[in-house]
Amino acid sequence: MRVLILGGDGYLGWPTAMNLSVHGHEVAVCDNYLRRRLCREQDSEALFEPPNLHQRARRWAEVSGHEVAVRIGDLCDWAFIDALFAEFQPEAVVHYAEQPSAPYSMKDRHTATVTFQNNLMATFNVIQAMKAHVPDAHLVKLGTMGEYGTPNIDIEEGFLEIEHKGRTGKFLFPRAAGSLYHTTKVLDTDLLWFYVRMWGLTVTDLMQGPVYGLETDENEGHPDLYPFLNYDEIFGTVLNRFVVQAVAGYPLTVYGKGGQTRGYLNIRDTLQCIRLAIESPAPKGELRIFNQFTETFSVNQLAEIVRASGERLGLDVEVKSLPNPRKEMEEHYYNPTHTGLMELGLEPNLLTDAVIDRLMRAVMEHRDAIDHDRIFRGVKW
Ligand code: USQ
């Protein structure tokens, strides 16, 4: 299939491009380097700087023989996205092109505005470009498990049957996001749901949990093809952060009581999920929602997993609770369903001792590059 990956420079975008090209798809990536610019603006760069998209595509072609087309531009600019869709005529579109950080979105008015404008406008323009050029294509959109929040009932995959005063109906599962970033994803889902009903778009909205890891089948042995590994408070996610903290000898930053529980997945499983969603598309004219994670952990459990890995590797890892800079429940019920992707064939790569130790070792190679000042800034909600 012709697959267009929007946000192709990101943590997940570039690994997805390599993976889909290996599996026989014709891939184009698009990005405006927003993530790189915001990291620089916040002095929050990743552990190492990956080459730019043109360089990565050239390197990937040398290593694998697969071509990935690269287009640089801003999806909020209608002239650019209109020309992009007209040229490439994708059969499937993977939409990662959003400002992905909750703390960035909550920092100040400027960062909130960047998040709001970029995320909503990009999604709106993608919908318009699909209608104009490829109304039958399949949109695979990255949402987040954070759209649901942490309700006191089981979380279903996207929809909920409700019985009310003797009648029943099916509705989007209630959403209660915990940051402006997560709220933009709720709003995206509502926009998609609206245009699915109005225009018959075909959409898979993937509610993904926090992702960890660095290595995939495609980049193993090629560190120049690794994605970003952000460990800073703003763009880093919790498990990647804990691994870098352990290697740096920085006490693991457990926020509050550490009972916050989320659904996590290995970066290798993100790639499987995206490919499964593309190759088994949503029924025409429908909104399909999957919960994309493989196992749940509390922050305390993650800290213990990283501490134990450190012990095996000869590191002395301390765990420290900090006053929680976020507004969130620190002890709560959490039981989300996640059978849809398993039914499509997902084979989970779970967080075993071998997996965490390998990630720790990969980070140890970059120990000297770790900047302690990036680890905790205390961006408050
Ligand atoms: N946490 C700590 N210590 C830290 C960092 C985080 O205790 O040093 C806690 C947070 O308070 C939170 C949990 O760990 O309870 C997860 O935080 P996170 O920063 O890993 O994840 P989050 O801000 O929710 O966002 C990340 C990605 C986002 C994605 C989301 C999936 O940045 O793009 O959508 O994970 S989910 O969390 O399921 O909504």
Side-chain angles (χ1 to χ4, degrees), residues 35 99-103 142-149 179 181-182 185 207-211 231-242 245 252-256 258-264 292-293 298-300 302 322 324-326 328-329 332 334 375-376 381:
R35 158 76 165 255
Q99 188 299 98
S101 159
L142 268 291
T144 168
M145 283 301 291
E147 292 185 34
Y148 304 118
S179 76
Y181 152 73
H182 290 95
K185 298 264 179 172
M207 302 297 134
Q208 184 171 244
V211 182
Y231 61 95
D232 60 282
E233 175 183 315
I234 299 177
F235 290 96
T237 50
V238 63
L239 183 55
N240 287 347
R241 274 166 64 64
F242 281 1
Q245 292 169 8
L252 306 191
T253 54
V254 170
Y255 294 166
Q260 303 93 308
T261 303
R262 302 285 184 270
Y264 292 83
Q292 184 163 313
F293 67 93
S298 69
V299 172
N300 286 330
L302 292 178
L322 301 176
N324 195 339
R326 304 183 181 197
E328 61 184 357
M329 284 202 263
H332 57 89
Y334 201 63
I375 292 176
F376 189 73
W381 263 227

Side-chain angles (χ1 to χ4, degrees), residues 8 30-32 46 48 65 93 100 171 190 208-209 226 234 243 251 263 280 282 294 299 323 355:
C30 162
D31 210 292
N32 64 344
F48 43 82
V93 177
F171 300 88
D190 274 322
Q208 184 171 244
Y226 281 177
I234 299 177
V243 168
S280 305
T294 58
V299 172
V355 166

